[in-house]
C-alpha cells in the first residue's frame, strides 16, 4: 500500500500535514513531528504587521535614527522576530527531511510582500499565505475584499519561485468562483480550505465577551468536505482540507472528496504528537477495507465531478431528513 501524496509539487510520505500553529513553532517540535510520521509541516504564521514594521524601519534609515529607548526596544524586538522566523525555517530544514512550509498571516498587499524572498532564501519548501479578512465592515464591498486575495498572491508570486498556497476563510458570497479564479490566476499552486477563526462568545453569568473553543471538534470536518468535494477536479490547484479533521476516517473522507492533503492541529494538541501514528493507521485501514492501493487511486473518487455531479454536495436544506419532525 502506498500512502504517499503530492502536495504543492512536493512529495509527502503521507497526506498528514501538521497545520500552522504553536505545534510548529520550534525546530525541536518539528523534529518530533517528523519522528512521529507527519507528512509535512506548516510553520506558525508570521504576521504581516511584524514584517511591515521592520520594512518601515529599514526604509527610514535604521534604529540609530530613533533615540527613544521605547522605540529602540520595539524595533529591536520586531527585527528579532523576523530573524527568529528565518532561523526557524533554516534550522528546521537542517534537522528534518519532510517539507517545511512557511506561513504568513496577511490582510493587505503592503511592503511585507518582499519579505517572502527572505523566506524562500532561508530554505522554505513552499509558502502558505493565510489571508485573514473578516468581511465585518458593512461599508466595504465584497468584491474589494476578494480582490485583495488576487493583489496579495500576484505580488508575492513576483518575488518567489517556491510554490505558493493560499489559506482562505469560507466567508464569501461567491466562494466557488473565488476558489476557481485563484487557481486560474496561475499564482497559487494550492488552496487550503478553510481558516478557522476564533469566534466570540458571551459568558451568561458575567455578561462578558469571551472566546469560544480555540480547538475544533471532530464533527466540524464536514465544512471543508463539501467544498473540497465541490471544487476538486474543477480547479487546477491542490486542495488541502483543514478544520475538524481529527482521525484517519475524516482524513480518508477528505482524500475521497479530492484533497491532496489535510492540515491537522486540534487533534494533535488534544492527543499529543504520537497520535499522528494512530491517524495514519486508521487511514491505512480505510484503504485496506476498500482496496485502494495508492492515495492517488482514492483521491477524488467521491468528488462532485466524479460522482456525476451528485447533488448531495449542493443540498443545504434538511427537509428530506427532518421534514417529519414536529
Ligand atoms: C492554537 C492554534 C494556533 C493557530 N495558529 C495559526 C497560525 O499561526 N496560522 C494559521 O494559518 N493558522 C493557525 N491556526 C489554525 C490551524 O492551522 C487550523 O487551520 C485550524 O485550527 C483548523 O484545524 P483543526 O480543526 O485541526 O484545529 C491555529 C490553530 C490553533 C488551534
Amino acid at each position: 500500500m502506498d500512502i504517499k501524496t503530492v502536495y504543492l509539487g512536493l512529495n509527502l510520505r503521507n497526506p498528514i500535514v501538521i497545520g500552522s500553529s504553536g505545534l510548529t513553532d520550534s525546530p525541536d517540535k518539528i523534529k518530533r513531528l517528523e519522528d512521529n510520521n507527519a507528512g509535512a509541516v506548516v510553520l506558525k504564521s508570521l504576521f504581516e504587521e511584524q514584517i511591515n514594521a521592520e520594512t518601515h524601519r529599514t526604509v527610514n534609515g535604521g534604529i540609530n535614527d530613533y533615540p527613544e529607548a521605547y522605540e529602540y526596544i520595539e524595533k529591536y524586538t520586531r527585527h528579532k522576530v523576523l530573524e527568529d522566523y528565518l532561523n526557524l525555517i533554516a534550522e528546521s530544514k537542517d534537522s528534518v527531511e519532510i517539507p517545511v512550509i512557511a506561513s504568513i498571516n496577511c490582510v493587505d498587499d503592503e511592503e511585507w510582500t518582499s519579505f517572502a524572498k527572505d523566506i524562500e532564501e532561508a530554505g522554505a519548501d513552499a509558502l502558505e499565505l493565510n489571508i485573514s479578512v473578516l468581511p465585518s465592515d458593512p461599508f466595504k464591498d465584497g468584491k474589494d475584499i476578494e480582490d485583495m486575495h488576487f493583489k496579495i498572491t500576484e505580488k508575492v508570486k513576483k518575488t518567489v519561485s517556491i510554490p505558493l498556497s493560499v489559506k482562505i476563510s469560507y466567508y464569501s458570497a461567491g466562494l466557488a468562483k473565488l476558489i476557481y479564479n485563484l487557481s486560474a490566476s496561475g499564482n497559487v499552486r494550492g488552496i487550503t480550505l478553510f481558516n478557522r477563526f476564533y469566534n466570540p462568545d458571551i459568558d451568561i453569568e458575567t455578561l462578558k465577551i469571551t472566546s469560544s473553543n480555540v480547538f475544533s471538534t471532530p464533527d466540524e470536518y464536514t465544512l471543508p468536505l463539501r467544498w473540497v468535494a465541490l471544487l476538486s477536479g474543477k480547479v487546477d490547484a491542490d486542495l488541502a482540507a483543514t478544520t475538524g479533521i481529527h482521525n484517519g476516517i475524516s482524513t480518508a473522507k477528505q482524500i475521497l472528496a479530492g484533497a491532496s492533503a489535510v492540515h491537522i492541529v486540534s487533534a494533535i494538541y488534544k492527543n499529543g504528537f504520537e497520535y499522528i501514528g494512530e491517524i495514519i493507521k486508521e487511514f491505512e485501514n480505510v484503504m485496506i477495507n476498500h482496496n485502494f492501493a495508492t492515495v492517488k487511486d482514492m483521491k477524488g473518487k467521491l468528488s462532485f465531478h466524479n460522482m456525476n455531479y451528485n447533488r448531495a454536495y449542493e443540498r443545504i436544506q434538511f427537509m428530506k431528513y427532518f421534514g417529519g419532525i414536529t
Side-chain angles (χ1 to χ4, degrees):
M1 195 172 40
D2 177 3
I3 61 168
K4 292 196 286 295
T5 188
V6 178
Y7 173 53
L8 308 178
L10 307 166
N11 293 313
L12 272 53
R13 59 183 168 175
N14 65 59
I16 312 297
V17 177
I18 303 307
S20 179
S21 61
L23 296 169
T24 56
D25 66 359
S26 77
D28 172 53
K29 288 183 195 169
I30 288 159
K31 177 77 183 115
R32 281 175 51 216
L33 289 166
E34 178 179 72
D35 292 345
N36 281 285
N37 242 333
V41 292
V42 184
L43 300 180
K44 170 100 191 118
S45 297
L46 189 60
F47 284 72
E48 168 189 315
E49 302 93 292
Q50 297 173 306
I51 308 169
N52 278 342
E54 173 61 16
T55 311
H56 294 149
R57 185 186 72 85
T58 313
V59 168
N60 290 334
I63 47 179
N64 289 339
D65 295 343
Y66 297 89
E68 294 86 358
Y70 174 78
E71 271 195 32
Y72 175 85
I73 290 164
E74 190 191 325
K75 307 289 180 213
Y76 172 78
T77 311
R78 286 187 190 279
H79 180 69
K80 176 100 178 51
V81 168
L82 300 193
E83 206 176 84
D84 285 352
Y85 200 74
L86 296 177
N87 287 339
L88 169 64
I89 297 169
E91 285 171 25
S92 303
K93 280 298 297 173
D94 277 349
S95 57
V96 296
E97 302 276 318
I98 56 173
V100 173
I101 302 167
S103 166
I104 297 177
N105 189 311
C106 49
V107 292
D108 221 321
D109 63 334
E110 287 190 37
E111 300 94 286
W112 69 265
T113 50
S114 58
F115 189 71
K117 188 79 199 153
D118 296 285
I119 284 182
E120 177 171 49
E121 281 167 3
D125 293 294
L127 173 60
E128 180 174 83
L129 301 169
N130 176 355
I131 303 184
S132 293
V133 204
L134 187 74
S136 54
D137 182 347
F139 302 105
K140 200 160 189 176
D141 203 293
K143 175 142 190 346
D144 294 341
I145 293 171
E146 295 200 353
D147 283 351
M148 192 47 74
H149 291 74
F150 296 93
K151 285 188 188 157
I152 293 173
T153 49
E154 197 179 322
K155 212 156 163 193
V156 176
K157 172 74 181 164
K158 282 189 185 137
T159 70
V160 295
S161 49
I162 48 174
L164 283 183
S165 155
V166 62
K167 185 176 188 179
I168 63 171
S169 85
Y170 48 82
Y171 291 112
S172 163
L175 190 54
K177 184 80 173 136
L178 173 66
I179 295 169
Y180 180 83
N181 284 349
L182 278 168
S183 76
S185 71
N187 293 326
V188 296
R189 183 131 190 189
I191 305 175
T192 305
L193 309 174
F194 294 103
N195 193 18
R196 184 175 184 274
F197 292 145
Y198 298 147
N199 285 316
D201 198 357
I202 291 176
D203 183 322
I204 207 67
E205 298 301 325
T206 62
L207 298 188
K208 290 214 163 89
I209 312 293
T210 59
S211 83
S212 62
N213 283 341
V214 171
F215 297 126
S216 65
T217 55
D219 52 351
E220 290 180 44
Y221 75 86
T222 53
L223 173 71
L225 185 74
R226 179 202 293 265
W227 292 97
V228 167
L230 282 173
L231 289 152
S232 65
K234 275 199 218 159
V235 300
D236 186 19
D238 291 342
L239 300 179
T242 182
T243 291
I245 301 153
H246 282 233
N247 51 50
I249 291 173
S250 48
T251 298
K253 290 180 183 183
Q254 304 290 346
I255 301 291
L256 286 164
S260 302
V262 294
H263 292 194
I264 300 184
V265 170
S266 295
I268 309 302
Y269 268 111
K270 286 181 185 168
N271 302 299
F273 288 21
E274 297 74 19
Y275 185 64
I276 300 169
E278 280 185 47
I279 298 175
I280 291 173
K281 217 183 291 161
E282 206 171 19
F283 176 71
E284 285 175 336
N285 282 339
V286 176
M287 288 182 71
I288 292 167
N289 290 342
H290 292 282
N291 293 317
F292 290 118
T294 67
V295 169
K296 207 169 156 208
D297 292 343
M298 190 178 177
K299 192 178 148 191
K301 261 267 176 311
L302 299 182
S303 71
F304 185 58
H305 191 63
N306 282 336
M307 293 287 287
N308 238 339
Y309 299 93
N310 185 320
R311 301 248 97 73
Y313 286 121
E314 291 187 315
R315 187 171 299 136
I316 52 173
Q317 306 296 355
F318 288 99
M319 200 172 66
K320 181 175 167 207
Y321 301 101
F322 301 125
I325 296 177
T326 52

